[in-house]
Amino acid sequence: MELTCLSKGDGFHYPPCHMLNISGFRVLIDCPLDLLAITIFSPVPCDVGFEASAYPSEEDAQNPIQKKQKMERQMSFDDLVCVEPWYKTVKTLHLWEVSLIDIVLISNPMGLLGLPFLTQNPRFCAKIYMTEATAKIGQLMMEDLVSMHMEFRRLHGPEDSSFPCWTKNLDGEEVPSVLKNVVFNGDDLGSWMRLYSLDDIKSCMKKVQAVKFSEEVCYNGTLVIKALSSGLDIGACNWLINGPNGSLSYVSDSILVSHHAKSFDFHGLKGADVMIYSGFSCLQTASPTDSDYISTSSDENDESLAASLLDNEESLEELEKLAFVCSCAEESADAGGSTLITITRVGIVLQLLELMSNSLESSSLKVPIFVISSVAEELLAYANTIPEWLCEQRQEKLISGEPSFGHLQFIKDKKIHLFPAIHSPNLITSWQEPCILFAPHWSLRLGPSVQLLQRWREDPKSLLVLEDGISSGLGLLPFRPIAMKILQCSFRSGIRLQKLPSLLSLLKPKIVLVPDVVNQRINLSAIKTTSILNYSENKTLSLARIADNADVEIMAELATKLSWKKLRQRENFGIARLKGELVMENGKQRLVSGLDQEEDSGKTRPLRHWGSVAPETLLDALMKMSVTGSIEHSIGENGSEDKSIIHLTNPSSGMVETSEMCTTIITDDETVASKIFQAIDGILDGI
Amino acid sequence: MAIDCLVLGAGQEIGKSCVVVTINNKKIMFDCGMHMGCDDHNRYPDFSILSKSGDFDKTISCVIITHFHMDHVGALPYFTEVCGYNGPVYMSYPTKALSPLMLEDYRRIMVDRRGEEELFTSAHIASCMNKVIPLDLKQTIQVDEDLQIRAYYAGHVLGAVMVYAKVGDAAIVYTGDYNMTTDRHLGAAKIDRLQLDLLISESTYATTTRGSKYPREREFLQAVHKCVAGGGKALIPSFALGRAQELCMLLDDYWERMNIKVPIYFSSGLTIQANMYYKMLISWTSQNVKEKHVTHNPFDFKNVKDFDRSLIHAPGPCVLFATPGMLCAGFSLEVFKHWAPSPLNLVALPGYSVAGTVGHKLMSGKPTTVDLYNGTKVDVRCKIHQVAFSPHTDAKGIMDLTKFLSPKNVVLVHGEKPSMMSLKDRITSELDIPCFVPANGETVSVASTTFIKTNASDMFLKSCSTPNFRFSNSSTQLRVTDDRTSDGVLVIEKSKKAKIVHQDEVSEVLHEKDHVVSLAYCCPVKVNEESDESGLIKQMSVKISETVSCADIHESETCLQVGSFKGSLCLKEMCVHRRGMSSSSSEVKFLCCNWSVADLELGWKIINAMKQNL
Ligand SMILES: [Zn+2]
Ligand SMILES: [Zn+2]
Ligand SMILES: [Zn+2]
């Protein structure tokens, strides 16, 4: 097995990317986009009123130069690149020959966003697996991305942003290093791509084989692949791969107890031969102090380990965070300010919508909730048709006949308004401020969030709710000065570092591969049952074969048909020469009945012998077949072996030379030779 | 190893499906149904056969319910709450969501209308359903260390599944009820090609072969249309879920197209509530329905209203869906009592009615009067229409599935004995698969597959990975066989895991020393005087290739080699390997030959070829 970490990613929106070589097959795990990188581009300017902005004048659209000047005058962010955005993929993935990839596993919708770039390549021929929910949600996210990008183009106007034209000016000394780092990152510009089209998405998704949680799919008869819920988001999964050389689990960022998605499934991951741990998000949590350690003594049983992992302290914390967002939004509304929520994590949005509608329902505030996204309607409808992919509490709702997520009734009652775009015809008629508004994109460069932010940024009563990490980078630069209140939320996106030892003790893999950066932060040496290896980004780690001998299964029916031999010297043994065909089925090597079983049963002459031939015994045996002769012994001289010779006299002349290691039949008479061989075969054991 | 299949219900009958299969000591109960045509203790499977002491937790590893029909789930609350089975119960998400509705509906009908003693209470249903573990399609569930189960889409009704169960290397499929064709709202059954020791299939329509169902749908619509156009009332007795939705989709659509204003009623709020579930469970419907659901929910019926008891005697035409199906009791039977005497009216019976129900009586022959449950007689003058399309597979579908899966054995359940017997004959003769039709209480035993687990040596696996084709001319055809595996030897040592080694490794494994047995002969050959040593070898090589086909001959200056056969020019005056002839003539030279016993025949062939023109 070989593992190469192509990218450790960056949190929830940019999952890690790995290349794996297992049983001779090359497996790519996840193909994400670094969407934070698009913050180097400047958003479409819009200083005009909100209503008007939906319909830019012809003049505006056709005169990018004029627009650019306007923008430069208006904003103090000359440094941002003012072209149609390009998208950054995993850098080192492009160094691999596409046609050599056999399998692509996509763990969550974010891991899917870069895949059309790969499947565009005519040489791409890998089999793609992901869960049904990941496929559906991921496809909607990609379509939304394309739709927002098209909208950008519509507003920005046609412009030649051919590569590497826009990077030309970024090389200068005056360019801020933060920008250069994002763009060049190791001198490789090949990772920047022009966005794919809706057709590319469609043809990419056609190649996908969607699976259920715990469904076993078999690749090429050799690898049995299974997706197990990771709890990170709806449909997100870890992977278990069983092959003829043992089992391998891939455990990425997981959430042990979720309030929306099906929780982390650890049962299926137990006892793998090799576990790859790629939960990089744990690095974003604080280093554990000594007191944080959960004891992981080996005598602790599985139940208590599981209990310590699955305590709901963290998930309660998460609920508190969500409630806090709601209360902040309400406070703002109370003061007459609107709230713009740019979070696009599906699970978080669904929970926030439910919480907000419920709490608005019980308060006297009459504030409308808007959701503006090209895929909102479909996504929200979809979320209520997938009980199998949700946490237990939400499954219970199905049983009692309630929808899984509470937004359905509020949409019917016109308390939540869905619009595909900011210029949707009905939006203006139902528009009302203050309001609570959900709008993509979290990067603040695309989608309706850009215009709305421009609209409200100077309003100190309004509230902006951001994804983690946006405000620290270039994110807010185009919108400064900003008077809005800003709430930056970091929601859970993985297992906490201090829970890792318990997790490993519970899953008990024989070998675990942990990123060196993680291993540096936490002491895993207490786990005795597992050997721990480090891996690092862009280095290939090779593991020798785990099992000593490969397992082969023989159909019992076939085994009884073999010609079994009892051995003279060893009664405990039974040996038989094999028949049939060796096939690979469901990751197992099996010996099954071949087609021509009966016909070749005649050839049962042993081909290998062991033991020794006493000349006297042989002569006796020959006599019984009416072959006679006499024995001559010769002592080995200068190192040569002792040997005996039987000189045959009747029915024809001939010789048998025998020593400890070999016997030679010397005759020109075929029948006599056969008789002699028969006699020898009766004395020696053979197969 | 054997698989025992004990039929507790639905053996040579339809009703109270319950089959207990024992695979390598694991007992799995498939379905736990109730017989709708029985009033006495016979309505439940005879669980006492399983355990005299009643300790079912010890005997049964798990219960799996295939779908929400009463003949498959009806006895479950009784088994878990009254008989006290506490182990795991599995069913699909829709079945888990919808079974309580069906059970509650049936319980209410029995208790409220028929005045029967309660078989189980609402509380029983609730606590029974709490024990249920939901299943998703294709999800592989490890019930315990040895038992693995998996559900496949069965069509039939929303959430219906076929179940695959595997213990060790032995595997079976229990189909439950299934449909091999797509209908209005459900897809066709879909299963992987599995290796099975036993297939247990329903056989409701074991001898029927149906053509396209569109003409039959049209027949149904026309029958209903004709009735309401003539001012009559159409009664469609059906259970709350399943058929009601399918027929209603059909009618609603037809009403729209034909612009008919006659009201369509549902007898209770149940079906409306059920539509809610259908919407949430849209992923279990057909592709067609799934694709449309974002824009239009096909279960939002435009022409359907709730029915009120007072409407029974209201004038004017109407269509009424009333529970329960089969006219076995309850509201549908009550309405039937009032509507049956009028020749204007219509009773459309969807699907199968079990023996003992009024529905069954109407279907078998044309009765003029019918006895209801408590001695009441009703004149039947209304028209009777049997809906001729069904959510069950027909005989062709059963044969197709059986052929596709090619199990080692087939057991038929859930059918009528005469037609099951003729299907059994077809399966045995056409597919050459042993087939059984056990009655209730009978057990069928079949052999199960086992694999012997071995460790294979690297050398063996390596030799297996390089092709080793052998060509042979058998009769007229050239056959290509690849017997790589015959280089392997299976070694079994008492109380140890079996090993596969290459033949060259056997002696080592046995701690023995190899003993090579070979043949030798110094062979006289005749040569042209002119030819030198290498000419001689070339000459022999030609001779050999003339007689020994496919021989791969390697030549060098003074020797040649074919397989293990080696012959080299012998210059010794008195070679011990020579027999009979001495080097009397200058035309005769000698080749000292030796070959291993593996090439015994080949060696003699070569010798004879070289000696030929001596
Ligand atoms: Zn059924
Ligand atoms: Zn049935
Ligand atoms: Zn010789």
Side-chain angles (χ1 to χ4, degrees):
Chain A
M1 195 219 74
E2 264 177 27
L3 171 75
T4 314
C5 172
L6 302 182
S7 152
K8 58 186 171 62
D10 181 18
F12 180 88
H13 288 287
Y14 187 32
C17 175
H18 290 81
M19 191 68 86
L20 196 63
N21 196 329
I22 176 168
S23 298
F25 298 109
R26 193 153 284 161
V27 186
L28 171 69
I29 304 180
D30 289 322
C31 190
L33 280 184
D34 179 5
L35 284 172
L36 191 62
I38 66 168
T39 51
I40 63 155
F41 296 98
S42 67
V44 171
C46 166
D47 60 340
V48 280
F50 164 60
E51 287 83 0
S53 75
Y55 304 101
S57 66
E58 285 291 294
E59 195 191 356
D60 247 8
Q62 279 169 6
N63 196 342
I65 295 155
Q66 184 199 339
K67 204 162 73 184
K68 185 165 180 178
Q69 284 166 348
K70 189 164 41 168
M71 187 162 57
E72 278 163 359
R73 192 178 59 246
Q74 180 197 7
M75 302 174 194
S76 54
F77 61 104
D78 301 342
D79 303 320
L80 293 190
V81 187
C82 188
V83 295
E84 184 184 327
W86 284 57
Y87 295 82
K88 198 177 173 194
T89 56
V90 173
K91 188 177 70 182
T92 43
L93 182 55
H94 299 274
L95 305 176
W96 294 74
E97 169 56 40
V98 165
S99 61
L100 295 181
I101 302 173
D102 299 297
I103 303 171
V104 178
L105 302 179
I106 302 293
S107 313
N108 57 53
M110 279 59 64
L112 174 59
L113 298 184
L115 192 58
F117 288 125
L118 216 59
T119 55
Q120 272 173 350
N121 192 322
R123 289 196 313 280
F124 179 89
C125 56
K127 187 103 191 162
I128 308 167
Y129 299 103
M130 64 187 76
T131 64
E132 280 175 12
T134 292
K136 178 74 185 181
I137 296 170
Q139 180 170 5
L140 289 176
M141 286 173 66
M142 291 192 289
E143 285 169 0
D144 197 30
L145 189 63
V146 170
S147 129
M148 288 186 287
H149 186 89
M150 296 308 283
E151 181 69 8
F152 184 102
R153 249 167 69 164
R154 206 176 63 80
L155 295 171
H156 187 259
E159 186 191 327
D160 176 32
S161 62
S162 64
F163 188 78
C165 175
W166 57 268
T167 59
K168 210 162 47 196
N169 302 326
L170 293 170
D171 237 354
E173 264 180 30
E174 69 285 359
V175 176
S177 61
V178 58
L179 204 62
K180 273 203 235 171
N181 279 346
V182 176
V183 179
F184 297 105
N185 188 12
D187 280 328
D188 191 341
L189 289 166
S191 59
W192 286 93
M193 308 281 279
R194 208 188 263 281
L195 191 61
Y196 39 75
S197 67
L198 284 177
D199 283 341
D200 292 329
I201 298 173
K202 214 185 265 168
S203 78
C204 168
M205 295 312 289
K206 263 195 200 134
K207 299 185 173 112
V208 168
Q209 181 174 348
V211 298
K212 308 266 190 188
F213 282 144
S214 304
E215 176 180 346
E216 289 180 350
V217 284
C218 191
Y219 177 81
N220 205 17
T222 312
L223 299 179
V224 179
I225 300 169
K226 203 150 96 169
L228 298 164
S229 176
S230 75
L232 183 65
D233 207 345
I234 299 170
C237 68
N238 294 313
W239 296 97
L240 185 69
I241 306 174
N242 269 300
N245 297 326
S247 59
L248 177 139
S249 64
Y250 175 84
V251 179
S252 189
D253 281 327
S254 300
I255 289 181
L256 301 169
V257 182
S258 167
H259 283 283
H260 60 287
K262 193 167 185 126
S263 292
F264 181 64
D265 177 356
F266 57 86
H267 292 287
L269 295 169
K270 278 186 182 174
D273 291 317
V274 179
M275 168 173 160
I276 298 168
Y277 181 75
S278 73
F280 286 93
S281 284
C282 63
L283 295 174
Q284 288 165 6
T285 53
S287 275
T289 58
D290 281 344
S291 60
D292 276 340
Y293 277 113
I294 302 163
S295 80
T296 50
S297 56
S298 51
D299 50 87
E300 207 163 354
N301 62 18
D302 283 8
E303 282 93 75
S304 62
L305 275 170
S308 74
L309 277 171
L310 302 178
D311 66 8
N312 51 4
E313 186 193 325
E314 272 181 62
S315 64
L316 289 178
E317 236 170 71
E318 184 90 344
L319 287 182
E320 274 167 29
K321 273 184 208 163
L322 290 165
F324 181 68
V325 175
C326 285
S327 68
C328 289
E330 272 176 63
E331 254 168 54
S332 299
D334 220 7
S338 293
T339 300
L340 172 61
I341 298 166
T342 61
I343 291 166
T344 36
R345 286 174 63 166
V346 177
I348 302 291
V349 169
L350 288 168
Q351 291 182 84
L352 274 177
L353 268 178
E354 187 177 67
L355 266 174
M356 269 184 193
S357 339
N358 280 329
S359 77
L360 286 178
E361 187 80 350
S362 57
S363 81
S364 57
L365 269 174
K366 289 283 161 279
V367 187
I369 298 174
F370 293 96
V371 183
I372 305 177
S373 144
S374 64
V375 295
E377 190 189 5
E378 200 172 348
L379 197 61
L380 292 180
Y382 178 70
N384 271 327
T385 60
I386 46 167
E388 297 89 340
W389 302 91
L390 305 179
C391 65
E392 264 176 56
Q393 300 97 289
R394 294 195 189 268
Q395 284 183 5
E396 285 303 316
K397 288 187 162 192
L398 163 77
I399 307 301
S400 52
E402 284 172 60
S404 319
F405 290 97
H407 54 256
L408 211 63
Q409 197 52 42
F410 297 106
I411 295 172
K412 258 195 193 138
D413 295 347
K414 303 242 179 295
K415 284 169 185 148
I416 297 177
H417 306 265
L418 305 183
F419 293 102
I422 207 154
H423 52 76
S424 302
N426 296 328
L427 176 62
I428 290 162
T429 51
S430 44
W431 186 253
Q432 195 186 315
E433 279 186 48
C435 62
I436 295 168
L437 195 139
F438 291 80
H441 184 266
W442 58 267
S443 66
L444 307 182
R445 291 299 179 272
L446 294 169
S449 64
V450 177
Q451 279 120 309
L452 290 155
L453 186 50
Q454 278 159 347
R455 177 177 176 80
W456 288 328
R457 68 187 178 95
E458 279 161 359
D459 177 9
K461 293 199 294 286
S462 287
L463 172 70
L464 174 63
V465 182
L466 291 174
E467 289 269 358
D468 197 18
I470 280 289
S471 66
S472 57
L474 302 164
L476 286 170
L477 189 63
F479 308 99
R480 296 223 148 99
I482 190 158
M484 283 174 95
K485 287 170 284 177
I486 294 173
L487 179 60
Q488 179 161 271
C489 308
S490 72
F491 291 105
R492 283 186 299 169
S493 43
I495 294 167
R496 279 192 192 168
L497 198 53
Q498 64 263 40
K499 288 204 169 175
L500 186 56
S502 303
L503 182 71
L504 295 178
S505 311
L506 182 66
L507 299 183
K508 293 189 185 59
K510 293 199 185 80
I511 302 170
V512 64
L513 312 184
V514 180
D516 51 358
V517 279
V518 171
N519 209 2
Q520 281 153 19
R521 289 274 302 273
I522 189 161
N523 182 8
L524 296 171
S525 58
I527 305 159
K528 296 280 185 289
T529 48
T530 299
S531 59
I532 294 157
L533 296 174
N534 284 344
Y535 69 90
S536 32
E537 210 175 6
N538 288 317
K539 270 189 201 137
T540 300
L541 178 74
S542 297
L543 266 187
R545 209 170 75 188
I546 316 143
D548 289 340
N549 274 309
D551 287 334
V552 170
E553 298 186 350
I554 302 177
M555 205 184 247
E557 223 181 314
L558 174 66
T560 56
K561 280 189 200 147
L562 299 176
S563 16
W564 287 92
K565 285 210 160 184
K566 270 273 164 199
L567 298 179
R568 256 167 277 272
Q569 304 298 322
R570 298 165 196 278
E571 286 182 357
N572 285 343
F573 282 93
I575 63 170
R577 189 170 283 278
L578 292 179
K579 284 199 278 194
E581 243 178 290
L582 191 67
V583 294
M584 184 70 92
E585 277 176 358
N586 283 314
K588 284 176 183 150
Q589 304 211 67
R590 284 182 164 167
L591 196 67
V592 297
S593 303
L595 293 171
D596 303 310
Q597 274 315 293
E598 308 312 321
E599 290 181 45
D600 51 30
S601 56
K603 294 195 275 174
T604 48
R605 168 160 41 83
L607 304 173
R608 293 290 184 281
H609 290 94
W610 52 91
S612 58
V613 180
E616 292 77 13
T617 325
L618 178 58
L619 194 60
D620 280 352
L622 288 172
M623 297 269 258
K624 281 184 192 130
M625 299 166 159
S626 16
V627 177
T628 53
S630 56
I631 301 170
E632 174 200 330
H633 291 283
S634 75
I635 309 296
E637 285 163 28
N638 37 7
S640 76
E641 276 181 278
D642 285 359
K643 62 180 176 186
S644 306
I645 298 168
I646 300 177
H647 295 278
L648 301 175
T649 50
N650 197 37
S652 59
S653 78
M655 270 174 20
V656 180
E657 259 182 40
T658 180
S659 64
E660 207 190 333
M661 303 289 285
C662 60
T663 300
T664 314
I665 303 163
I666 303 143
T667 175
D668 62 345
D669 186 331
E670 233 179 294
T671 17
V672 170
S674 296
K675 277 187 181 172
I676 300 169
F677 175 68
Q678 223 178 308
I680 295 170
D681 191 37
I683 294 164
L684 292 169
D685 276 328
I687 191 83
Chain B
M1 293 277 191
I3 296 173
D4 291 336
C5 171
L6 164 64
V7 176
L8 287 185
Q12 303 176 353
E13 64 163 6
I14 294 171
K16 61 166 176 183
S17 283
C18 186
V19 176
V20 178
V21 182
T22 313
I23 318 171
N24 299 340
N25 295 322
K26 298 276 167 190
K27 268 194 171 53
I28 310 152
M29 180 186 286
F30 294 98
D31 283 333
C32 190
M34 137 193 296
H35 200 299
M36 304 288 272
C38 298
D39 284 345
D40 50 9
H41 66 278
N42 273 327
R43 90 181 98 209
Y44 290 141
D46 183 2
F47 298 122
S48 67
I49 297 176
L50 292 175
S51 162
K52 290 276 168 282
S53 64
D55 186 359
F56 296 111
D57 292 356
K58 277 221 183 88
T59 24
I60 303 278
S61 299
C62 72
V63 175
I64 307 166
I65 304 293
T66 58
H67 64 289
F68 61 63
H69 277 154
M70 290 303 290
D71 62 327
H72 297 261
V73 72
L76 186 65
Y78 176 78
F79 187 54
T80 62
E81 305 312 303
V82 182
C83 300
Y85 170 72
N86 242 320
V89 179
Y90 294 91
M91 51 178 85
S92 70
Y93 281 89
T95 307
K96 181 172 180 182
L98 299 170
S99 288
L101 303 192
M102 292 293 277
L103 288 163
E104 185 55 39
D105 188 40
Y106 187 73
R107 190 197 64 80
R108 224 180 31 230
I109 289 161
M110 290 300 143
V111 175
D112 297 356
R113 306 241 192 266
R114 218 146 117 182
E116 267 185 35
E117 209 183 308
E118 269 191 334
L119 301 163
F120 44 78
T121 62
S122 298
H124 281 153
I125 298 174
S127 99
C128 165
M129 295 318 286
N130 266 337
K131 295 177 184 158
V132 172
I133 304 164
L135 280 177
D136 199 358
L137 290 175
K138 293 197 170 179
Q139 186 186 2
T140 304
I141 295 217
Q142 206 73 42
V143 175
D144 57 36
E145 222 161 277
D146 308 308
L147 171 60
Q148 204 178 62
I149 58 171
R150 195 184 302 151
Y152 288 96
Y153 194 76
H156 187 59
V157 289
L158 195 75
V161 294
M162 303 189 187
V163 186
Y164 167 81
K166 184 179 168 213
V167 180
D169 300 315
I172 68 152
V173 161
Y174 174 84
T175 64
D177 296 351
Y178 62 101
N179 193 356
M180 295 290 280
T181 51
T182 315
D183 72 17
R184 285 280 145 182
H185 68 297
L186 299 172
K190 211 173 161 212
I191 192 162
D192 295 334
R193 209 180 281 273
L194 301 159
Q195 287 179 0
L196 300 178
D197 295 301
L198 175 64
L199 169 71
I200 305 169
S201 173
E202 70 132 318
S203 49
T204 318
Y205 294 100
T207 49
T208 323
T209 300
R210 291 186 296 261
S212 160
K213 65 178 175 203
Y214 294 105
R216 289 147 207 281
E217 288 184 358
R218 205 156 46 231
E219 265 170 43
F220 162 74
L221 291 168
Q222 279 163 357
V224 177
H225 191 183
K226 207 174 135 196
C227 165
V228 295
K233 292 174 159 57
L235 171 65
I236 306 171
S238 63
F239 290 99
L241 301 159
R243 292 297 269 174
Q245 280 72 25
E246 188 195 351
L247 296 180
C248 202
M249 277 172 94
L250 211 57
L251 277 177
D252 199 54
D253 184 53
Y254 187 75
W255 256 226
E256 288 285 293
R257 276 188 289 127
M258 306 299 283
N259 200 21
I260 301 171
K261 296 292 173 219
V262 176
I264 301 173
Y265 294 114
F266 274 166
S267 72
S268 63
L270 243 184
T271 324
I272 306 277
Q273 192 192 346
N275 294 342
M276 247 280 302
Y277 284 97
Y278 268 70
K279 194 174 175 180
M280 279 191 273
L281 295 165
I282 207 98
S283 64
W284 290 71
T285 58
S286 70
Q287 202 55 39
N288 186 26
V289 172
K290 258 188 266 186
E291 276 161 16
K292 278 196 261 174
H293 94 277
V294 176
T295 48
H296 169 64
N297 172 17
F299 298 107
D300 271 343
F301 301 124
K302 294 180 203 75
N303 300 289
V304 178
K305 301 181 179 79
D306 277 332
F307 193 69
D308 184 274
R309 183 170 293 273
S310 64
L311 291 167
I312 296 180
H313 299 292
C318 70
V319 178
L320 170 65
F321 284 89
T323 59
M326 307 182 191
L327 292 172
C328 58
F331 191 63
S332 62
L333 194 59
E334 192 187 333
V335 176
F336 174 74
K337 203 165 69 185
H338 295 294
W339 291 4
S342 164
L344 289 179
N345 294 345
L346 170 79
V347 174
L349 290 160
Y352 189 86
S353 292
V354 305
T357 60
V358 174
H360 188 260
K361 286 175 205 159
L362 294 179
M363 301 247 246
S364 40
K366 282 208 156 50
T368 48
T369 55
V370 164
D371 283 327
L372 301 189
Y373 49 91
N374 46 11
T376 326
K377 277 190 199 313
V378 170
D379 288 332
V380 182
R381 290 199 204 88
C382 66
K383 290 177 209 70
I384 309 291
H385 176 86
Q386 189 184 352
V387 176
F389 48 97
S390 145
H392 290 272
T393 176
D394 63 359
K396 184 182 177 295
I398 301 173
M399 291 299 285
D400 287 349
L401 182 78
T402 310
K403 200 171 165 188
F404 174 76
L405 291 172
S406 296
K408 298 221 175 81
N409 301 279
V410 176
V411 163
L412 296 177
V413 292
H414 200 289
E416 285 161 333
K417 194 176 175 186
S419 43
M420 291 167 96
M421 286 308 180
S422 79
L423 181 63
K424 171 194 155 134
D425 289 344
R426 274 189 76 189
I427 291 172
T428 324
S429 61
E430 287 175 32
L431 303 177
D432 199 22
I433 298 173
C435 180
F436 307 88
V437 184
N440 284 347
E442 285 180 6
T443 300
V444 171
S445 285
V446 299
S448 67
T449 306
T450 30
F451 282 94
I452 299 165
K453 316 281 183 279
T454 69
N455 275 332
S457 76
D458 281 349
M459 189 170 176
F460 169 72
L461 290 175
K462 210 165 191 181
S463 83
C464 277
S465 64
T466 37
N468 177 22
F469 297 118
R470 290 198 189 168
F471 302 90
S472 54
N473 282 305
S474 85
S475 56
T476 50
Q477 273 181 317
L478 176 72
R479 282 207 351 245
V480 185
T481 46
D482 182 7
D483 39 30
R484 286 170 246 195
T485 52
S486 64
D487 285 346
V489 175
L490 179 58
V491 180
I492 291 180
E493 190 180 352
K494 235 177 229 169
S495 72
K496 280 194 183 159
K497 191 171 178 181
K499 270 184 231 162
I500 293 178
V501 295
H502 190 267
Q503 57 185 5
D504 293 342
E505 298 172 304
V506 178
S507 54
E508 197 187 319
V509 171
L510 297 172
H511 312 290
E512 295 276 7
K513 276 194 186 126
D514 267 328
H515 193 103
V516 181
V517 181
S518 58
L519 293 98
Y521 174 49
C522 198
C523 180
V525 292
K526 196 176 163 187
V527 285
N528 301 335
E529 266 177 81
E530 253 81 306
S531 76
D532 57 0
E533 289 173 359
S534 66
L536 171 80
I537 297 294
K538 197 142 262 146
Q539 223 178 310
M540 289 305 121
S541 167
V542 172
K543 269 191 191 170
I544 293 166
S545 61
E546 274 167 7
T547 38
V548 185
S549 61
C550 307
D552 192 6
I553 307 166
H554 299 273
E555 301 163 28
S556 71
E557 281 285 296
T558 56
C559 65
L560 57 82
Q561 197 170 348
V562 187
S564 73
F565 183 96
K566 232 173 160 179
S568 44
L569 206 60
C570 182
L571 300 172
K572 286 184 217 159
E573 274 300 306
M574 291 296 295
C575 179
V576 286
H577 294 169
R578 255 171 237 175
R579 294 291 110 195
M581 192 182 288
S582 54
S583 61
S584 54
S585 158
S586 62
E587 281 181 5
V588 175
K589 295 252 155 98
F590 286 89
L591 271 179
C592 228
C593 305
N594 65 70
W595 64 100
S596 84
V597 283
D599 289 320
L600 187 72
E601 290 85 2
L602 175 77
W604 288 120
K605 251 189 205 168
I606 296 171
I607 297 283
N608 289 333
M610 294 194 300
K611 272 168 112 179
Q612 222 168 43
N613 53 354
L614 196 68

